[in-house]
């Protein structure tokens, strides 16, 4: 039987058990050294997480309050970089007031954010505002400005349908706006959907007020 001699100056190879024991000892030593730091950092991390949750809840509550105020008719300013839900609420508020000139930048902001559904709903609200103004002109017998408003309404309904092809209310109101001009094909052919203003006497049966949300 032969034995393996150990040369002077060299140690014998350690077994797997010795290596595992050594690693365990190193981990315990590392944990004892890191524990004071972790005990200091843990409250800071928990505080940061709590502040993040509180900030998120506060933003949600603030946005909800703004949307409710706009729905109630209060004029609350909304920046163009606001959340899509706020931009849509602002557009619908302005549309109900007939402030159509202030709506387009908000719709552009919605489209820039990729909020296609809300942008379609915003264009629907803008189209309804144009069509309501056209009805107001017709009811007062002020016929000259009614045609451009109807044309603008049709344009916005079509844009809404481009972003949301299944938008039934937009389809219905587009048909209403189109029937208002059905007795005047020359007017429609000359103006298309890019009419700015052209005096024209128009009158047809009015099927009803715009349907759907404001």
């Amino acid at each position: 039987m032969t034995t393996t001699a150990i040369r002077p100056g060299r140690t014998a190879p350690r077994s797997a058990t010795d290596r595992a024991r050594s690693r365990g000892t190193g981990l315990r030593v590392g944990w004892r050294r890191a524990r004071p730091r972790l005990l200091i950092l843990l409250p800071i991390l928990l505080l940061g997480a709590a502040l993040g949750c509180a900030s998120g809840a506060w933003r949600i509550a603030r946005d909800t309050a703004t949307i409710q105020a706009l729905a109630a008719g209060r004029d609350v300013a909304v920046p163009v970089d606001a959340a899509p839900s706020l931009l849509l609420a602002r557009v619908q508020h302005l549309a109900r007031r007939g402030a159509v000139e202030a709506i387009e930048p908000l719709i552009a902001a919605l489209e820039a954010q990729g909020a296609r559904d809300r942008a379609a709903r915003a264009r629907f609200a803008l189209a309804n505002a144009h069509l309501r103004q056209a009805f107001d002109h017709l009811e007062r017998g002020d016929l000259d400005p009614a045609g451009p408003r109807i044309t603008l309404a049709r344009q916005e309904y079509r844009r809404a349908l481009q972003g949301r092809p299944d938008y039934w209310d937009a389809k219905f109101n587009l048909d209403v706006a189109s029937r208002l001009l059905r007795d005047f094909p020359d007017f429609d052919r000359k103006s298309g959907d890019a009419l700015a203003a052209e005096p024209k006497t128009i009158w047809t049966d009015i099927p009803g007020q715009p349907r759907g949300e404001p």
Side-chain angles (χ1 to χ4, degrees):
M1 180 177 179
T2 60
T3 59
T4 301
I6 301 176
R7 296 179 182 179
R10 298 183 63 181
T11 59
R14 294 187 301 171
S15 66
T17 302
D18 292 337
R19 290 195 297 272
R21 187 179 296 111
S22 177
R23 285 195 297 269
T25 301
L27 290 173
R28 286 193 295 272
V29 172
W31 166 248
R32 283 196 295 270
R33 291 177 179 175
R35 185 168 57 184
R37 298 188 184 92
L38 292 176
L39 292 176
I40 294 173
L41 289 175
L42 185 59
I44 297 174
L45 293 174
L46 292 175
L47 178 61
L51 289 175
C53 292
S55 176
W58 176 79
R59 284 195 299 270
I60 293 173
R62 179 197 60 188
D63 291 353
T64 301
T66 301
I67 292 171
Q68 291 174 346
L70 289 167
R74 294 195 292 274
D75 190 17
V76 182
V78 173
V80 293
D81 59 348
S85 57
L86 286 175
L87 292 172
L88 176 60
R90 178 66 175 168
V91 167
Q92 291 172 336
H93 169 77
L94 292 172
R96 286 191 294 269
R97 297 180 61 188
V100 295
E101 295 80 6
I103 291 177
E104 192 61 42
L106 302 178
I107 295 178
L110 282 169
E111 292 174 341
Q113 293 184 32
R116 293 187 61 185
D117 181 74
R118 287 189 170 95
R121 293 167 62 187
R123 289 204 176 276
F124 177 75
L126 176 57
N128 280 354
H130 283 305
L131 195 55
R132 278 194 295 267
Q133 291 181 2
F135 277 119
D136 289 341
H137 288 304
L138 291 172
E139 290 171 356
R140 293 195 302 265
D142 189 9
L143 305 182
D144 288 349
R149 289 297 174 187
I150 295 170
T151 300
L152 289 171
R154 295 172 66 201
Q155 182 182 42
E156 294 303 328
Y157 287 133
R158 286 177 175 144
R159 288 180 176 176
L161 288 168
Q162 287 175 354
R164 185 176 162 186
D166 61 342
Y167 205 162
W168 190 89
D169 284 343
K171 293 179 182 178
F172 181 91
N173 286 9
L174 175 60
D175 180 66
V176 171
S178 298
R179 281 188 288 161
L180 286 173
L181 301 176
R182 67 186 178 186
D183 292 337
F184 298 88
D186 290 339
F187 177 87
D188 193 32
R189 182 167 58 250
K190 291 177 182 177
S191 64
D193 280 338
L195 178 65
E198 178 184 348
K200 191 73 176 181
T201 300
I202 62 172
W203 183 261
T204 67
D205 54 314
I206 301 174
Q209 294 289 338
R211 297 185 54 177
E213 61 186 302

